[in-house]
Amino acid sequence: MRYRPACAYIDLNALRHNLSVIKSKAPESKILAVVKANGYGHGINRVARQLAQADGFGVASIDEAMVLRQQGFLHRILLLEGLFSESELPVIAQHRLDIVVHSFYQLDWLLNFDCDCKLNVWIKIDSGMHRLGFSPEEFPQVVEELKAVDNRYRLFTISHFACADENTPEGRAFTHKQLDCFYDLTDALDYPRSIANSAGILYYPQSQFDWVRPGIMLYGAGADPESNLPLKPVMRLESKVQSIRWIDAGEPVGYGNTWTASRKSLIGVVAIGYGDGYPRHARHGTPVLINDHRMPLVGRVSMDMITVDLTDFEGEVEVGDTAVLWGDARLGVDEVAECSGTIGYELLCGITKRVAKIEC
């Protein structure tokens, strides 16, 4: 039995719809659906079931891959962070996992591993993000070492955009710089290529190559509203109004007295807080959707509750009414994230275990 009203509804049809949109945007590429971090907070198994028409899955590490294999998924599964330990190699071979190699210590482990089967190895290039990957100067050496034993490996090349989602002159220039670097290093090689993440798929069609790796857009977030891309939000976070009361002008609300009523105000309390994954740093005015009205958050977010100014909607809200925190066409997770100084990825991944996830 569920008592606490905070819940996250997971729209399974929206997942399938978003995958079809991505296929239409990158019709010549295979799709590696990124389901790491528990399917961006949506539940890795339920997400993978709805994305079974993808050509493969991207995960962070072997433990996530094993969850999928144990559920019977036979798809290509790529370990995007590669190996954390040499001892993982037998498991990778046994379960036919693809691996990213981004460092020489991983390369040494791989070259010293005796395996009867052919492994799929994705050589990661640091095209400018400077997080993981071989430098452009190192890359030819890595290719030569793997080619010397090419009967043991199928080779792919991969890189990652740093700011393809930033629609600024600087962001566009840097993305083109990365793309040129990747193209120059890989164009003469007969290996499948992948660099396009969600933003690359959306804004840089020339980056789509053989494989694309959609992440956030699968979950209906991360796209510029002006793109008019028909993505649907997958997670709808809701709770209930649990209290309504009037306070006088000059009275504060919440911890730290960070907000004070400038007039006699009707304050509603909604049963959700940072203990559920709602962002503590959501600023005053962050919209909350109640009975089709966008109402402003006031006061500091607490562990279990937020407070909302209902004054302009007196008589239109009652205790027990549903409050939508994000996941509606009128209130997306990216807007709430912007009001909180973060990104939609963090909010989706941050929903805590005490919030029920309900498939719909």
Side-chain angles (χ1 to χ4, degrees):
M1 183 176 293
R2 183 170 58 88
Y3 296 99
R4 185 167 174 78
C7 56
Y9 291 96
I10 309 299
D11 186 341
L12 304 182
N13 288 328
L15 276 166
R16 296 192 295 271
H17 168 83
N18 293 342
L19 178 61
S20 70
V21 171
I22 294 165
K23 287 183 175 182
S24 72
K25 290 290 290 185
E28 303 302 320
S29 302
K30 292 184 178 180
I31 295 177
L32 193 82
V34 180
V35 297
K36 62 182 180 177
N38 195 29
Y40 283 48
H42 295 71
I44 188 170
N45 286 332
R46 69 166 59 88
V47 164
R49 287 196 301 271
Q50 304 311 313
L51 301 178
Q53 295 304 309
D55 300 286
F57 297 118
V59 299
S61 58
I62 198 168
D63 50 340
E64 294 177 334
M66 292 309 300
V67 169
L68 296 177
R69 283 287 186 256
Q70 289 163 5
Q71 291 296 313
F73 291 100
L74 301 178
H75 297 65
R76 178 189 301 274
I77 301 176
L78 175 60
L79 306 181
L80 292 167
E81 291 189 64
L83 302 168
F84 292 93
S85 166
E86 189 174 7
S87 64
E88 295 176 40
L89 278 165
V91 181
I92 287 167
Q94 179 184 354
H95 294 281
R96 298 183 301 104
L97 304 177
D98 289 28
I99 54 172
V100 163
V101 173
H102 58 71
S103 299
F104 280 108
Y105 70 86
Q106 293 177 328
L107 180 63
D108 289 342
W109 290 343
L110 190 62
L111 293 173
N112 291 328
F113 178 59
D114 187 17
C115 178
D116 294 332
C117 61
K118 215 168 187 180
L119 296 180
N120 293 329
V121 176
W122 299 61
I123 308 170
K124 184 151 193 178
I125 299 168
D126 178 5
S127 58
M129 191 173 186
H130 300 323
R131 192 174 61 175
L132 296 176
F134 296 101
S135 71
E137 295 75 24
E138 294 168 336
F139 174 71
Q141 174 189 343
V142 176
V143 171
E144 289 305 312
E145 292 194 38
L146 289 169
K147 280 175 63 178
V149 283
D150 62 0
N151 61 311
R152 293 166 54 185
Y153 310 112
R154 298 182 190 89
L155 300 182
F156 303 72
T157 56
I158 187 171
S159 192
H160 195 61
F161 286 135
C163 48
D165 56 345
E166 295 186 12
N167 188 23
T168 64
E170 295 80 10
R172 291 191 294 271
F174 193 82
T175 300
H176 283 293
K177 180 181 177 181
Q178 284 194 268
L179 188 54
D180 289 344
C181 174
F182 185 69
Y183 185 88
D184 290 345
L185 289 170
T186 61
D187 189 50
L189 301 174
D190 189 25
Y191 304 141
R193 295 182 281 182
S194 178
I195 191 173
N197 56 2
S198 291
I201 295 167
L202 284 173
Y203 310 123
Y204 297 91
Q206 69 272 36
S207 74
Q208 291 175 1
F209 295 120
D210 302 281
W211 286 83
V212 295
R213 309 191 308 273
I216 192 67
M217 66 186 301
L218 285 167
Y219 308 97
D224 185 338
E226 295 183 2
S227 69
N228 295 317
L229 198 67
L231 297 174
K232 296 181 179 180
V234 175
M235 180 190 291
R236 179 182 173 98
L237 182 63
E238 294 185 358
S239 193
K240 300 290 185 183
V241 177
Q242 65 181 124
S243 173
I244 298 174
R245 65 179 351 182
W246 285 99
I247 65 170
D248 292 330
E251 290 296 316
V253 170
Y255 285 119
N257 295 348
T258 60
W259 183 86
T260 301
S262 60
R263 58 179 176 174
K264 186 176 182 180
S265 298
L266 185 63
I267 302 299
V269 178
V270 179
I272 199 154
Y274 62 78
D276 304 290
Y278 190 81
R280 183 177 181 273
H281 297 293
R283 64 173 183 259
H284 306 316
T286 299
V288 176
L289 194 66
I290 306 175
N291 295 340
D292 296 326
H293 298 299
R294 288 163 59 97
M295 303 181 183
L297 173 79
V298 296
R300 183 174 289 166
V301 174
S302 58
M303 184 180 290
D304 310 303
M305 291 170 277
I306 61 172
T307 44
V308 182
D309 186 355
L310 311 179
T311 311
D312 292 335
F313 304 95
E314 179 184 356
E316 298 187 44
V317 179
E318 297 179 353
V319 170
D321 284 351
T322 296
V324 178
L325 291 311
W326 66 66
D328 187 277
R330 295 156 294 182
L331 181 58
V333 67
D334 293 317
E335 181 179 358
V336 178
E338 185 175 357
C339 291
S340 308
T342 185
I343 54 176
Y345 300 70
E346 182 179 12
L347 300 191
L348 295 175
C349 292
I351 295 300
T352 64
K353 290 183 178 180
R354 73 174 183 175
V355 176
K357 292 187 175 71
I358 301 170
E359 296 180 1
C360 62

